[in-house]
Amino acid sequence: MVQDCLFCKIVAGEVPATVVLEDADWLAFEDIAPKAPVHVLVIPKRHLVDIGELGADPALAAAVVAGIGATARHLGLPAFRTVFNTGAEAGQAVFHLHAHVLGGRSMNWPPG
Ligand code: AMP
Ligand code: ZN
């Protein structure tokens, strides 16, 4: 657990979240400010800053990807978009790795 990390505090139960699904390695919970009818964040329980660090741990990377798939299946999403923002200039505001899982409406690219 990293001091002052919001998502570490959610993993620890110190900050409330609406949990969708979890296993030993990852946690899926509802985004507090949804950008789509379904907007869930999937995070590793271990603190990693971004996708670069996730790439250094292939077993955890596989677990997080499996978690994304399991969460989408659990929610009954026929289609969804997965986004990892990396770096403040790309919109990363919380520096504990998280996958945005967005769905429930047309997710055709480009967004609009
Ligand atoms: P990013 O901009 O990629 O770092 O995404 C951070 C996401 O975390 C945003 O979509 C926020 O709405 C979401 N968020 C911030 N605080 C919370 C919280 N306490 N519980 C759930 N989601 C949160
Ligand atoms: Zn953290």
Side-chain angles (χ1 to χ4, degrees):
M1 164 141 188
V2 168
Q3 208 80 21
D4 292 331
C5 171
L6 174 63
F7 288 176
C8 281
K9 288 180 179 169
I10 286 178
V11 171
E14 294 172 9
V15 168
T18 302
V19 172
V20 173
L21 203 62
E22 66 182 307
D23 88 350
D25 295 319
W26 54 267
L27 177 71
F29 57 96
E30 290 180 1
D31 194 291
I32 204 167
K35 315 297 187 297
V38 176
H39 187 171
V40 171
L41 302 175
V42 180
I43 68 170
K45 290 187 172 177
R46 180 159 81 77
H47 181 90
L48 298 173
V49 171
D50 60 22
I51 201 166
E53 289 193 0
L54 184 64
D57 187 339
L60 188 54
V64 169
V65 171
I68 292 167
T71 298
R73 276 194 305 280
H74 178 78
L75 292 168
L77 287 178
F80 60 93
R81 178 175 299 157
T82 306
V83 175
F84 292 89
N85 291 325
T86 306
E89 290 195 357
Q92 186 174 6
V94 178
F95 290 85
H96 179 133
L97 173 88
H98 49 281
H100 296 259
V101 176
L102 299 144
R105 64 167 164 81
S106 172
M107 300 302 296
N108 288 336
W109 189 264

